[in-house]
Amino acid sequence: KDLRLFLASLDNSQQIERACKHLIDTLFYPSLGAVVLAVIGVNIQALVIGVGSIVVSLAFMVGSASSKALEGILFILLRRPYDIGDRVCIGEVVEDSSTNIGGGSSWIVEHVDLYTTTMRLGTTRELATFSNSSLSNMRIVNLNRSD
C-alpha cells in the first residue's frame, strides 16, 4: 500500500512539473518571438500596444476565473497541505479554533492536480472533487502529519 501511495504521489509531482513547464513555455516562446521580430526589424512597440490592448480586454472577461485558478495553483505548489493518501479534515475557518480540532469529516486524498483535488469521505466512501481555490480558504487538518 505504501508503494502504491508513493507512486501516486510521484505521478502527481510529475504532473505538476509538466504543468509548470507549460506555463513557463507560454511565457518564454512569445518573448523569444518578440526578440526575433525585433532583430528582423519589425516595430515591436506597435505590436506590443496592439497585443496589450487585446490582453487587457481579455483580462476583464476572464479576470475572476483566472484569479481563482492562480490562487489554487499557488495553494498546491507553495503550501502543499496534503499528499495523495493523506487523511485530512476540512472545515470552515472560525475565530475560536480550540473547538472542533478535526474540522469536520475525515477525507482521504485520492488525486491532486493544479486546479482540483479529489477526495473520498472516510465513512461513506463518497467521492468529491474540490477546487483548490475553495480549499485555500478552508481550515485543513492533515491527520497524517499531526502528532
Side-chain angles (χ1 to χ4, degrees):
K1 181 179 178 179
D2 289 336
L3 178 62
R4 182 181 62 84
L5 293 176
F6 173 73
L7 292 175
S9 180
L10 184 64
D11 181 51
N12 181 49
S13 296
Q14 290 171 346
Q15 183 183 26
I16 290 173
E17 286 177 12
R18 282 192 303 270
C20 288
K21 181 185 179 304
H22 289 303
L23 189 63
I24 291 170
D25 287 348
T26 301
L27 298 173
F28 173 74
Y29 287 115
S31 301
L32 180 65
V35 169
V36 168
L37 289 174
V39 168
I40 293 174
V42 175
N43 184 0
I44 296 297
Q45 183 179 7
L47 184 64
V48 168
I49 290 173
V51 171
S53 63
I54 293 171
V55 168
V56 167
S57 63
L58 288 174
F60 281 111
M61 287 181 3
V62 296
S64 176
S66 61
S67 170
K68 288 189 180 296
L70 182 63
E71 183 180 8
I73 289 170
L74 292 176
F75 172 71
I76 291 299
L77 291 178
L78 298 180
R79 285 185 49 198
R80 297 204 55 57
Y82 43 74
D83 291 317
I84 293 174
D86 284 358
R87 184 175 293 272
V88 297
C89 292
I90 301 170
E92 296 296 323
V93 177
V94 292
E95 290 295 321
D96 181 19
S97 62
S98 63
T99 61
N100 197 9
I101 297 299
S105 301
S106 176
W107 296 84
I108 300 169
V109 179
E110 292 206 347
H111 180 76
V112 180
D113 62 27
L114 288 178
Y115 305 108
T116 61
T117 298
T118 303
M119 298 184 196
R120 186 171 300 277
L121 187 59
T123 54
T124 63
R125 308 294 292 159
E126 171 188 352
L127 194 65
T129 300
F130 300 94
S131 71
N132 291 334
S133 62
S134 67
L135 288 174
S136 68
N137 297 321
M138 300 181 107
R139 180 171 182 231
I140 299 173
V141 177
N142 189 332
L143 300 176
N144 288 28
R145 295 183 187 170
S146 300
D147 288 318

